Amino acid sequence: MLRTTMPILIGMAVLGVVSGTMLQSFEKQLLIYPSILFLIPALIGIGGNLGTIFGSRFATGIHLGILEFKFSNPIFRNNIIAILIVNIIIFLILGFMSYFIINLIGIGVLSLTNVVLLSFFAGLILTSALIPTAIFVAYISYRKGLDPDDTIIPTVTPTGDIIGILALLAVIVLLL
Amino acid sequence: MATDDRDLAKEYLEKYSSLSSIISQILPILLLALVGSLLTGFLFLEMRNSLELLPGLLAMVPAVMDTRGGIYGAFGSRIATGLHLGIVEPRFVINRNVNRAMAAALINSTVISIIIAVIAYGVLHVLGFETIPVWALVVISLLAGMISGLILIGVMIVITFRGFRRGIDPDNLVGPLVTVTGDLFSIFALLFTAKIILVIIT
């Protein structure tokens, strides 16, 4: 249990520092649009939640022996589709919520359409990257006989942090 | 045992694996988590000034939260699997599997707390930032890790057990619980231990 998790955790601590530094280096651009700064924790938070739920569900499926890594398997398919649907709904809601909160505080410069699109596309990119990552780690763990409970979540969360920040920056460049 | 396994798998397939059951459980939980994380964000903004009193502390925050999420996410994932496999009963009695998962989480948390403090000190030192002594960072990180870890384990066990008894899939609860309560208590615990250290240092 410890031997599986510790190397992953150390890698994760390093990735945590990397994503923090990355954010730091974009600080100036981010400060022009406070709305985006406001979106980051929520985006990463939800991304992490979706990734963790997906990972935890996959781990259970593997342990119960009912998950197979093909799309015809109902557990495999339903988990992916459900996460994608929830992803679309929740990031649209996040976009609207952020817009109203930042305007309430009076720091908003972006239009409602822009904030909602930012949240929606950043979220979509994030989840589209997280799902294959989780599946890949689950599959490798399954093949190598590692406990997926110990491997999926610790690898998916920090990956999500970095991809979340990158996705947001990419969407900013494309949209604004 | 073989029929047992098949029953469990069948029950899981019927109760927890349909598209509508996954979505209808995850969506409200995520909305609650979203509100929770927005509140934590405000709390964090409020507390930034106090964090800046101890240079070096802020550098540890993302790493502390990240690793906390990983460690207790893994802990929760184990509990959820245990509940689904029937090797963890949703009752508050001593259980070998829960104990083992708990011990692993706490040991991981202790080791990683020390590593984070040392890495943060090293990086800040190399970059030429001012920091408090490395022992102070280690003590803050360790104590905060212990306090928030114990709280998180308690919250996780109580909520997943209660939820499971009411038909809520624990796999859907673990992530949001870790992010919301984990971040919240990590910040509180960091601040609390930082205040103590601040008194000792000055």
Side-chain angles (χ1 to χ4, degrees), chain A residues 49, chain B residues 33 152 155-156 159-160 173-183:
Chain A
N49 276 329
Chain B
L152 202 49
V155 171
M156 183 90 78
I159 297 189
T160 49
L173 286 169
V174 169
L177 273 179
V178 170
T179 36
V180 177
T181 48
D183 288 358

Side-chain angles (χ1 to χ4, degrees), chain A residues 1-2 6 9 12 16 46 49-50 52-53 56-57 60 63-64 66 75 78-79 82 86 97 147 149-150 153 161, chain B residues 9 12-13 16-17 19 22 30 34 38 66-67 73-74 77-78 81 84 104 108 111 169 171-172 175-176 179:
Chain A
M1 210 185 285
L2 292 176
M6 197 43 78
L9 285 174
M12 202 164 140
I46 299 176
N49 276 329
L50 284 171
T52 311
I53 290 173
S56 191
R57 300 187 62 90
T60 295
H63 278 298
L64 280 174
I66 48 178
I75 304 271
N78 285 356
N79 276 322
V86 171
M97 264 172 82
D147 186 343
D149 281 323
D150 286 342
I153 293 173
D161 285 0
Chain B
Y12 181 84
L13 280 166
Y16 300 112
S17 72
L19 210 51
I22 304 177
L30 273 182
L34 178 59
L38 288 178
D66 274 3
T67 49
S77 187
R78 285 178 155 271
T81 295
H84 281 305
N108 273 330
V111 177
D169 187 343
D171 282 323
N172 297 341
T179 36

